[in-house]
Amino acid sequence: MDKQQLSKDILKLVGGEENIDQVTHCMTRLRFNLNDNKKADKATLKNTPGVMGVMENGGQFQVIIGNDVPVVYNALVGNMSKSPDAKPAASSGTSKKKNPLSAVFDFISGVFTPILPAITGAGMLKGIVALLLTFGWIDATSSTYIILSAIGDGAFYFLPIILGISTARKLGSNMYIGAAIGASVMHPTITALLAPGENVSFIGLPVVAATYASSVIPILIAIWLASYVEKAIDKVTHASLKLIVVPTVTLLIIVPVMMIAVGPLGVIIGNGLTDGINWLFNNAGLFAGLLVGGAFSLLIITGMHYALVPIMIGSIATLGYDYLIPLMMMANFAQAGSALGVSLKSKNKQIKSLSASTGVTALMGITEPAMYGVNMRFKKPFVAALIGAAISGAFVSFFQTKAYVIGGLAGLSGIPMIIGPTFVYALIGIIVAVVVSAILTYILGFEDVPEAVPAAEPTTPAATTSASAVTAVEETKALDQDVFSPITGEVKSLSEVPDPAFSEEIMGKGFAIQPSEGRVVSPINGTVFSLSKSGHAIGLVSDDGAEMLIHIGIDTVKLKGQFFSPKVQAGAKVAVGDVLMEFDREEIEKAGYTTITPVIITNMHQYNSIESAGRTTIKEKELLFTAKA
């Protein structure tokens, strides 16, 4: 599948770049914050090859891609003229307002999604260390054990610092001020000062003893408050003093407020949530597992499962175990079981292959391909998965099955999370989830897709058929495309471009030019189909159908049009040598940006190869390369 074309289709169907406020991705989904969700063509997106599903939750418009999402994301970003990580634009009167609940889910999702690799890696290591210790393969007093434990504990112990960065990024405030706030309360002097039993005050106000290591709620509240303080101070501070005044005053206000009020309040909220969940499972374990286990896949669909992440972290930090992670695992294994059940039941070879492969992926903890691509598609298998998750959830909750670390996905790769006294019950629960879901899927059945019947051979005379075939090929065959240099300078390989979207040929194939002059001319006869607002990127389509991109410099979108002077508009007809853009090469480089310019064919699926003209230095209108059809 052409990921470049898929990214273009997605960009168009979500309403175009002008409808995108922010876009990020997780393991399997592109997560858009759109200015207006109604402008997105949801129905067409769902039926686009390469898209497994589309959903809206937590204020986000999510496009499910599967394991290839990083490649599609990189291609998508390459097709955009603005950075997807830019601070959100100020809301206009036409912007869609989120309800408070959606806003909370969007906030939690945006904060925790970027930090999952850090806590996942650390958690996996903690699980492996626990496994080594259980089997006596490592001594708890050895320096090796101590070092490995520190590596695993580090991300959790200093979680306030990591969350400070991620929360500030989500709120559009300074990430490093967020880190500094987290670091302040984690300073060894403060940790010792806030030890229980000590009387501490700040300018006469009492400071309540609180433990911030591995905490979640206090830093979330503190950075949320800091975002307002920072913006308020920024508005009233002269530009020449912002660098000094804004961070200084923000830290002076927020850190004491956090220690006096926010920290204790956050600890109370966090402990309350943890105690509430534990009370539920200790007093109504079987029914709690039945309800939560059966509903977990629905929570994942709506994005509400992110609201449980702080509770999971808080439980393990304060109690040393968590009841919710095993239920998430049961839900994931149930989805895997249903997909494997479809594979056993279906007579369609393509469906059997798809359901088997997505089932195996779900066993590893990545459930979206199975859930959206198979189970929800055929409906009854999804119902079977919910039932299987409820039954296995009831089983593991009855025996108070626990997870002891956070790390890895909630699948086979996450087995180290559940290693402990209740490990056997967790394994039995996994088997129950897979087997029950698979059997129910087989019994309930579903509307199978019949095998495609090959078209009959034409009965026309051989000579006529041959002539028609030749004519059809001649009509659809792409032509070789000569691409002339748009810039005078030094020819470079794309591998030398300091941007993986170009160096790894995600965007397309071609060459780059290190300019010696500040002018861009048309490399082909054709039409300008796009011109970025910042002027740094020009899209062209030749009269013979070749789609091209000229990208002046790397990250020059951040200049917001400064030093660029467009000479054409989108829609203009151009010939080889027509001036498209002038730019101040020296000033761009003084601003800290490279001016190396990729010149690429973006619809390479229509061509076989790129043939260089063999030049190392080149002038405008000299042949740069040929795209061979």
Side-chain angles (χ1 to χ4, degrees):
M1 180 183 297
D2 187 345
K3 304 301 188 302
Q4 177 60 224
Q5 186 58 47
L6 175 58
S7 71
K8 289 182 180 179
D9 292 340
I10 293 172
L11 185 60
K12 177 182 178 182
L13 292 171
V14 297
E17 181 178 347
E18 63 277 4
N19 193 37
I20 298 174
D21 186 9
Q22 287 182 300
V23 56
T24 57
H25 74 90
C26 55
M27 295 292 290
T28 56
R29 313 179 194 188
L30 293 171
R31 296 173 174 268
F32 292 93
N33 289 95
L34 300 180
N35 295 319
D36 186 354
N37 285 6
K38 293 180 180 178
K39 290 183 179 180
D41 190 345
K42 195 171 182 179
T44 304
L45 263 173
K46 285 182 177 179
N47 294 318
T48 300
V51 174
M52 294 182 174
V54 178
M55 56 187 294
E56 296 179 56
N57 62 65
Q60 289 186 332
F61 189 90
Q62 301 177 3
V63 181
I64 297 106
I65 302 298
N67 297 339
D68 291 326
V69 70
V71 179
V72 177
Y73 172 80
N74 287 334
L76 179 80
V77 170
N79 286 324
M80 296 173 63
S81 63
K82 66 179 182 180
S83 169
D85 292 324
K87 290 184 180 181
S91 299
S92 64
T94 58
S95 296
K96 181 179 178 181
K97 292 184 178 179
K98 301 174 188 174
N99 64 59
L101 188 60
S102 293
V104 169
F105 290 146
D106 176 55
F107 171 67
I108 295 175
S109 170
V111 168
F112 282 94
T113 298
I115 72 168
L116 285 178
I119 60 177
T120 295
M124 279 294 292
L125 187 55
K126 284 168 67 71
I128 292 170
V129 171
L131 184 65
L132 294 174
L133 195 62
T134 300
F135 287 98
W137 296 336
I138 193 170
D139 187 351
T141 61
S142 69
S143 57
T144 300
Y145 172 81
I146 294 171
I147 292 171
L148 288 176
S149 296
I151 297 171
D153 287 334
F156 293 97
Y157 185 84
F158 293 103
L159 192 59
I161 299 175
I162 298 174
L163 280 174
I165 295 170
S166 185
T167 307
R169 176 183 178 274
K170 173 61 181 175
L171 294 172
S173 52
N174 191 297
M175 295 185 293
Y176 304 103
I177 293 178
I181 292 170
S184 297
V185 297
M186 290 304 301
H187 194 282
T189 303
I190 297 296
T191 302
L193 186 66
L194 296 181
E198 296 290 335
N199 293 320
V200 182
S201 65
F202 178 78
I203 58 172
L205 297 172
V207 176
V208 180
T211 301
Y212 293 98
S214 304
S215 65
V216 173
I217 304 296
I219 192 70
L220 293 180
I221 298 174
I223 303 302
W224 175 68
L225 292 174
S227 68
Y228 287 98
V229 173
E230 181 184 341
K231 290 169 186 174
I233 298 169
D234 186 80
K235 283 183 180 180
V236 299
T237 305
H238 189 273
S240 62
L241 298 174
K242 288 182 186 292
L243 181 62
I244 299 172
V245 173
V246 174
T248 303
V249 177
T250 301
L251 288 171
L252 277 175
I253 293 174
I254 293 299
V255 175
V257 167
M258 182 178 180
M259 295 173 64
I260 293 167
V262 172
L265 176 63
V267 170
I268 291 170
I269 294 173
N271 289 342
L273 292 171
T274 299
D275 292 342
I277 292 292
N278 287 326
W279 181 91
L280 180 65
F281 282 93
N282 288 330
N283 292 276
L286 188 148
F287 297 103
L290 186 76
L291 178 63
V292 178
F296 225 113
S297 291
L298 299 176
L299 295 178
I300 292 171
I301 291 173
T302 61
M304 292 175 64
H305 64 297
Y306 279 105
L308 301 176
V309 174
I311 299 175
M312 296 174 185
I313 295 174
S315 293
I316 290 178
T318 57
L319 302 174
Y321 59 81
D322 175 67
Y323 289 118
L324 293 172
I325 292 174
L327 296 180
M328 183 185 291
M329 296 183 75
M330 297 306 112
N332 285 357
F333 281 111
Q335 293 293 337
S338 286
L340 295 173
V342 171
S343 179
L344 293 172
K345 182 81 171 180
S346 178
K347 303 299 182 184
N348 185 310
K349 292 180 181 179
Q350 185 177 4
I351 297 299
K352 288 178 77 71
S353 175
L354 173 67
S355 53
S357 61
T358 57
V360 171
T361 303
L363 287 174
M364 298 307 297
I366 302 174
T367 58
E368 279 90 343
M371 188 157 59
Y372 293 102
V374 178
N375 298 340
M376 292 182 69
R377 174 183 176 184
F378 293 113
K379 298 180 179 62
K380 288 183 180 179
F382 184 69
V383 174
L386 296 182
I387 296 172
I391 294 172
S392 57
F395 175 83
V396 296
S397 295
F398 180 78
F399 289 101
Q400 296 189 336
T401 306
K402 305 175 181 70
Y404 300 91
V405 296
I406 290 181
L409 300 169
L412 292 176
S413 61
I415 290 294
M417 295 190 293
I418 54 176
I419 294 176
T422 59
F423 182 53
V424 173
Y425 301 119
L427 290 182
I428 295 173
I430 290 170
I431 296 170
V432 170
V434 174
V435 173
V436 168
S437 300
I439 292 175
L440 282 176
T441 297
Y442 199 91
I443 294 173
L444 292 175
F446 50 89
E447 189 175 342
D448 202 4
V449 178
E451 288 274 14
V453 179
E457 291 294 328
T459 56
T460 52
T464 303
T465 303
S466 177
S468 299
V470 170
T471 301
V473 170
E474 289 176 349
E475 288 176 352
T476 58
K477 182 179 179 181
L479 301 174
D480 288 357
Q481 177 66 59
D482 288 334
V483 177
F484 298 90
S485 178
I487 302 176
T488 297
E490 185 178 354
V491 179
K492 301 283 188 180
S493 165
L494 284 182
S495 62
E496 298 181 58
V497 178
D499 186 331
F502 297 107
S503 62
E504 297 176 12
E505 299 185 339
I506 294 170
M507 295 288 298
K509 293 186 178 182
F511 289 87
I513 299 174
Q514 184 64 58
S516 59
E517 298 179 3
R519 189 169 82 155
V520 180
V521 302
S522 177
I524 46 89
N525 297 324
T527 305
V528 178
F529 73 80
S530 70
L531 179 65
S532 67
K533 294 178 182 178
S534 57
H536 76 291
I538 306 165
L540 302 159
V541 58
S542 77
D543 292 337
D544 293 324
E547 297 176 8
M548 295 195 60
L549 174 66
I550 303 171
H551 197 282
I552 306 166
I554 303 302
D555 287 336
T556 44
V557 62
K558 296 178 181 178
L559 293 170
K560 299 180 180 179
Q562 190 179 14
F563 311 131
F564 291 92
S565 178
K567 301 302 178 184
V568 293
Q569 295 181 342
K573 293 287 292 182
V574 292
V576 173
D578 288 351
V579 180
L580 304 177
M581 177 74 65
E582 291 181 352
F583 60 96
D584 193 325
R585 181 175 60 86
E586 291 81 6
E587 289 299 323
I588 293 173
E589 291 175 350
K590 283 181 184 178
Y593 298 91
T594 176
T595 53
I596 190 169
T597 301
V599 181
I600 61 175
I601 298 285
T602 57
N603 60 335
M604 275 304 299
H605 60 282
Q606 295 184 10
Y607 298 91
N608 292 324
S609 62
I610 293 291
E611 185 177 283
S612 171
R615 292 181 169 88
T616 55
T617 58
I618 200 164
K619 294 181 179 179
E620 292 176 0
K621 300 188 289 185
E622 290 183 340
L623 183 64
L624 177 61
F625 65 85
T626 300
K628 307 293 289 185

